[in-house]
Amino acid sequence: MKKILLAILLLAATSTPALAQISGLGGSMPDLGSLIPAGEGSASGRIVQLVALLTVLSVAPGLLIMVTSFTRIVVALSFLRSGIGLQTTPANLILISLALFMTFYVMAPTFDRAWNDGVLPLTRNEISEEVAFEKISDPFRDFMAQRVRDKDLKLFDDLAAEHLGIKTEVGATPLRVLIPAFMISELRRGFEIGFLIALPFLVIDMIVATLTMSMGMMMLPPTVLSLPFKVLFFVLIDGWNMLVGGLVRSFF
């Protein structure tokens, strides 16, 4: 009991200087506005902005997939692995890493423009958040507008006008219309490239299957024999160089 009382007295003694300091500043605890950096809005407005910023950062990988070249590249690489017949080689980590670095290479001009026009002036307090958002989104808007199919864009234009009551003006397509149209356009192109990738491997599978059937090897799966030939074929034609070069050139 004496130890507990002694601990309480020590706690009261150490808290007295802090209370005296607070009372010397005006006798009240600091308000929330003094703890949050000053901005154009009130403290509650700044809290909403901080929550929105954290939300955007949490969905940043999804934004990277939606508005960049990542979709087309990763779909093509997936078709390559399926066409060869290797389920786990190269590993998912390797394919995703390669797709990410290829995306950074293709999107470098867009990233540089968004950084110089939007992010850098915002960090210097030269422009507001609203202006910065427009400056940052304009390079990605131009990138998507140059590569989206007119048919896909018209589809989402019609859907937005029919269900959302949004009429798109000429040359001012909103992001809610442009992004999904760009994504399905990229998926279409990715599947087109994937067909061209898988076709030679399909021919090799058919040749090996015909040979095994003619030799009476009914119980031997053709894929077991065709796998080494497909890997050898891909290595001999320098497939990685051709595929990566073709994917990068398809954006320029």
Side-chain angles (χ1 to χ4, degrees):
M1 187 65 180
K2 292 182 179 180
K3 293 182 179 180
I4 297 176
L5 292 177
L6 181 60
I8 294 175
L9 291 175
L10 289 175
L11 180 61
T14 54
S15 62
T16 302
L19 294 176
Q21 185 178 4
I22 293 176
S23 61
L25 293 175
S28 61
M29 296 292 291
D31 59 350
L32 189 59
S34 63
L35 300 177
I36 298 178
E40 296 180 357
S42 61
S44 59
R46 300 298 294 179
I47 292 175
V48 172
Q49 292 178 0
L50 291 175
V51 172
L53 178 61
L54 293 176
T55 304
V56 171
L57 292 177
S58 65
V59 299
L63 295 177
L64 177 66
I65 294 173
M66 290 188 294
V67 300
T68 63
S69 58
F70 180 83
T71 302
R72 184 191 308 186
I73 295 173
V74 75
V75 168
L77 294 178
S78 300
F79 267 97
L80 171 64
R81 187 171 66 178
S82 299
I84 295 178
L86 300 172
Q87 301 299 323
T88 58
T89 305
N92 289 330
L93 179 60
I94 297 177
L95 290 183
I96 297 299
S97 301
L98 178 60
L100 283 175
F101 277 99
M102 291 176 63
T103 300
F104 294 149
Y105 183 86
V106 172
M107 300 295 298
T110 304
F111 289 153
D112 292 341
R113 181 183 165 193
W115 175 266
N116 295 326
D117 296 345
V119 179
L120 199 58
L122 179 63
T123 57
R124 296 174 179 173
N125 293 325
E126 297 176 358
I127 57 177
S128 61
E129 288 85 352
E130 293 78 8
V131 177
F133 175 77
E134 295 296 330
K135 294 289 185 179
I136 295 173
S137 61
D138 283 343
F140 295 95
R141 189 192 303 271
D142 295 340
F143 177 83
M144 291 185 289
Q146 294 173 2
R147 291 161 180 83
V148 67
R149 290 201 314 156
D150 295 335
K151 184 177 181 181
D152 298 330
L153 188 60
K154 185 178 182 303
L155 169 65
F156 285 94
D157 276 338
D158 296 339
L159 291 175
E162 180 180 353
H163 298 286
L164 302 178
I166 301 175
K167 295 183 179 180
T168 304
E169 300 179 359
V170 179
T173 306
L175 292 178
R176 70 178 68 183
V177 174
L178 183 58
I179 290 177
F182 171 76
M183 288 194 68
I184 63 174
S185 297
E186 288 297 287
L187 285 173
R188 176 187 172 89
R189 292 188 178 93
F191 273 76
E192 291 173 350
I193 297 173
F195 170 77
L196 298 177
I197 293 173
L199 188 59
F201 300 117
L202 178 61
V203 173
I204 294 176
D205 284 334
M206 294 177 62
I207 293 174
V208 173
T210 302
L211 292 176
T212 54
M213 292 288 291
S214 62
M215 296 172 62
M217 304 171 65
M218 304 293 183
M219 303 302 294
L220 181 64
T223 55
V224 175
L225 294 178
S226 64
L227 178 60
F229 292 102
K230 289 189 289 186
V231 174
L232 179 63
F233 166 76
F234 188 72
V235 172
L236 290 178
I237 65 173
D238 199 6
W240 286 112
N241 185 283
M242 294 178 58
L243 177 60
V244 172
L247 285 173
V248 172
R249 293 188 185 96
S250 67
F251 291 97
F252 298 101

